[in-house]
Amino acid sequence: MDTGGNSLASGPDGVKRKVCYFYDPEVGNYYYGQGHPMKPHRIRMTHALLAHYGLLQHMQVLKPFPARDRDLCRFHADDYVSFLRSITPETQQDQIRQLKRFNVGEDCPVFDGLYSFCQTYAGGSVGGSVKLNHGLCDIAINWAGGLHHAKKCEASGFCYVNDIRVLYVDIDIHHGDGVEEAFYATDRVMTVSFHKFGDYFPGTGHIQDIGYGSGKYYSLNVPLDDGIDDESYHLLFKPIMGKVMEIFKPGAVVLQCGADSLSGDRLGCFNLSIKGHAECVKFMRSFNVPLLLLGGGGYTIRNVARCWCYETGVALGIEVEDKMPEHEYYEYFGPDYTLHVAPSNMENKNSRQMLEVIRNDLLQNLSKLQHAPSVPFQERPPDTETPEVDEDQEDGDKRWDADSDMDVDDDRKPIPSRVKREAVEPDGKDKDGVKGVMERGKGFEVGMEESGSTTKVSGVNSVGMEEAGVKMEEEGTTNKSGGDQVFPKT
């Protein structure tokens, strides 16, 4: 298979794309706790669908290298990262003050393997960014990422570390507050969030929140009400994002694809179909700009898996068949066993007049921007270049500022793997027929094939989660074309 070069081309959206997909088989084992709506198991369910629909063979599948302390400290405070690295369920009672200080508790609980989980999901986003920066793919996917609420010094909204960094677009039902806050005063990163606004977490994202200082007008907030459907959503999304792309001209786009904006989500109140949600992916893909797709929210996990499987197909330009192939988690999707589910008949509280006012206000704000950031994007930003040597081992004493609260971790012992396997708590009709969590999936090493929009994929059972003899290509190995390592191992 041809895995070298770029397949990006101008023209209709159906052109071929080269896609890298990041997945760690361990990610589905992490468990927030009994009754918690955030279930990393949904990532494993998504991966199973991708495997049995045959989509993995059209992508380069990579196991992300865990984000290092220094990677996380480029945004987060050193003492916060140090806390996440050291806290365990057994020691949390001795650190009540720290738990309160860093907002770790009910929404963001301490669980076995917490820091490893953070390293895994952030590592996939960092790895995808490096692949895009080096022109090794057109689209990178990390469905474990996109946890957009985390702040510089605290956890928030089920999110511990913020893995998102350029044009950032958020279609999660919740406002992307952590990312907006990080870039609120700069014109080098534009954030655009489409979200429920009102008496709803996190309570931010007013249309008048537009940025500050040199970042004025570089934060766009699209406040929406309950029941918004596909047609109403696209009435805003397409003209606003079209104008953003015209004026901001980003070097790369990060699209956070939180699936809690789907109809029927356990914590949501929107009424988008999977195809309506995916239309946003298709639209952003059509600009032929390097694109990083991330996960995010989504709490009716069978629909999360459906959505991200379908959107992986959109990224590849492959139409995925509605009839679902039998696989490890097949019983979750009964009684219809289809990829798509119909939206509900809930009331759409977003009037046409209200939508037009929002659209006109935001387009007016965009008209006040210059046609490029004041500081041009670098083709390969220095902090995402691939280092030639392992800097941690070469000069450990200089990794942190002298006044840093973060302990130098060169000689630290590896964090023991005590990840608790999730006892699946199906919600609603998921409870019927679910036989429990399967053994964690094996990885895959597959090359990418160019694929066009006319390809249709139905279920294939020849590639399974447990198939022996198929290994995952890990970030940090030499690529098949003999190129240099993308990530060095530490």
Side-chain angles (χ1 to χ4, degrees):
M1 298 179 186
D2 176 19
T3 60
N6 278 8
S7 57
L8 208 62
S10 60
D13 182 60
V15 298
K16 302 175 179 65
R17 297 292 193 279
K18 193 170 287 295
V19 179
C20 288
Y21 165 73
F22 288 82
Y23 174 74
D24 189 322
E26 290 285 348
V27 74
N29 293 340
Y30 296 102
Y31 183 51
Y32 274 61
Q34 182 76 20
H36 199 288
M38 176 61 90
K39 300 181 185 300
H41 176 63
R42 65 201 180 136
I43 310 301
R44 180 186 287 137
M45 291 175 61
T46 301
H47 186 76
L49 284 179
L50 298 180
H52 288 274
Y53 268 111
L55 294 177
L56 295 179
Q57 62 191 294
H58 297 280
M59 304 184 285
Q60 187 178 20
V61 181
L62 300 168
K63 180 180 178 182
F65 190 80
R68 298 168 295 184
D69 296 343
R70 61 184 304 164
D71 298 322
L72 302 180
C73 288
R74 284 179 176 143
F75 171 67
H76 294 285
D78 295 352
D79 53 353
Y80 174 55
V81 173
S82 181
F83 167 79
L84 289 177
R85 180 157 63 83
S86 63
I87 193 72
T88 68
E90 291 76 20
T91 64
Q92 63 178 323
Q93 291 306 314
D94 301 326
Q95 302 188 55
I96 300 299
R97 255 183 96 183
Q98 294 288 81
L99 289 169
K100 186 174 181 180
R101 175 188 174 194
F102 295 122
N103 197 35
V104 173
E106 292 184 8
D107 276 0
C108 302
V110 176
F111 55 85
D112 284 333
L114 168 60
Y115 190 60
S116 296
F117 175 60
C118 296
Q119 289 179 296
T120 296
Y121 77 70
S125 299
V126 172
S129 300
V130 170
K131 285 283 190 182
L132 292 169
N133 283 340
H134 287 258
L136 299 175
C137 65
D138 306 319
I139 300 174
I141 299 174
N142 175 31
W143 293 130
L147 303 191
H148 58 169
H149 295 304
K151 309 293 176 59
K152 184 179 181 68
C153 301
E154 65 179 52
S156 178
F158 317 156
C159 309
Y160 301 88
V161 298
N162 203 326
D163 59 308
I164 305 171
R165 306 291 179 260
V166 190
L167 171 60
Y168 169 72
V169 187
D170 193 318
I171 59 173
D172 192 293
I173 195 172
H174 300 95
H175 177 231
D177 57 332
V179 185
E180 177 182 277
E181 181 181 292
F183 302 110
Y184 202 65
T186 178
D187 61 355
R188 296 196 62 206
V189 176
M190 175 174 277
T191 61
V192 187
S193 179
F194 296 79
H195 52 269
K196 159 74 175 172
F197 183 74
D199 185 15
Y200 201 72
F201 183 87
T204 53
H206 194 283
I207 194 170
Q208 293 178 1
D209 295 339
I210 58 175
Y212 177 78
S214 63
K216 189 175 182 180
Y217 301 122
Y218 286 88
S219 292
L220 266 67
N221 286 295
V222 188
L224 304 169
D225 208 341
D226 294 1
I228 192 163
D229 57 20
D230 294 352
E231 181 182 0
S232 298
Y233 201 90
H234 300 149
L235 187 69
L236 293 176
F237 188 88
K238 290 185 177 182
I240 290 170
M241 293 317 306
K243 181 60 71 172
V244 166
M245 295 300 289
E246 174 191 335
I247 292 178
F248 190 60
K249 298 189 186 330
V253 174
V254 178
L255 178 57
Q256 197 266 24
C257 304
D260 48 5
S261 47
L262 292 174
S263 179
D265 186 78
R266 179 178 171 185
L267 299 185
C269 55
F270 283 179
N271 199 24
L272 298 183
S273 70
I274 288 172
K275 285 189 176 180
H277 194 273
E279 184 65 24
C280 299
V281 178
K282 184 177 180 182
F283 188 72
M284 298 312 298
R285 179 187 187 271
S286 71
F287 291 98
N288 297 332
V289 172
L291 177 63
L292 176 61
L293 299 180
L294 303 176
Y299 308 101
T300 300
I301 60 176
R302 61 183 181 274
N303 290 345
V304 176
R306 284 175 160 123
C307 181
W308 292 345
C309 173
Y310 185 75
E311 289 177 347
T312 302
V314 169
L316 289 163
I318 294 175
E319 182 64 32
V320 181
E321 189 176 81
D322 188 36
K323 183 180 178 182
M324 191 170 289
E326 291 191 22
H327 63 289
E328 298 90 328
Y329 307 110
Y330 189 63
E331 293 303 321
Y332 275 83
F333 302 97
D336 297 328
Y337 305 103
T338 56
L339 196 62
H340 295 281
V341 290
S344 73
N345 60 355
M346 71 184 297
E347 178 189 0
N348 183 356
K349 295 184 178 180
N350 301 268
S351 69
R352 181 80 177 222
Q353 181 181 9
M354 182 189 88
L355 296 174
E356 289 177 352
V357 168
I358 292 172
R359 182 185 61 190
N360 292 339
D361 284 353
L362 292 172
L363 291 177
Q364 179 65 28
N365 285 348
L366 283 169
S367 70
K368 299 173 184 177
L369 292 178
Q370 299 175 0
H371 275 252
S374 62
V375 180
F377 286 101
Q378 301 178 53
E379 194 164 324
R380 289 187 190 172
D383 63 352
T384 56
E385 282 190 19
T386 307
E388 295 296 324
V389 295
D390 185 342
E391 297 172 349
D392 288 1
Q393 297 299 325
E394 182 186 52
D395 194 357
D397 293 335
K398 294 183 180 179
R399 292 187 305 142
W400 311 111
D401 294 336
D403 58 353
S404 170
D405 294 326
M406 184 71 182
D407 294 331
V408 176
D409 56 356
D410 294 290
D411 300 321
R412 75 178 188 268
K413 296 179 181 178
I415 298 173
S417 179
R418 298 188 301 102
V419 178
K420 181 176 180 181
R421 193 176 303 279
E422 177 171 358
V424 179
E425 304 164 37
D427 39 320
K429 68 179 185 180
D430 282 344
K431 295 180 180 178
D432 297 330
V434 177
K435 300 179 176 61
V437 179
M438 307 297 293
E439 288 297 311
R440 68 181 178 87
K442 298 293 189 286
F444 298 85
E445 182 182 57
V446 291
M448 291 178 288
E449 287 186 321
E450 296 181 346
S451 50
S453 61
T454 57
T455 308
K456 190 161 186 175
V457 170
S458 57
V460 291
N461 295 318
S462 58
V463 180
M465 292 284 288
E466 301 295 334
E467 184 164 355
V470 185
K471 65 179 180 178
M472 178 173 292
E473 179 181 346
E474 186 166 347
E475 266 303 88
T477 60
T478 303
N479 63 37
K480 293 178 183 177
S481 61
D484 295 331
Q485 292 182 337
V486 175
F487 260 42
K489 285 200 173 185
T490 55

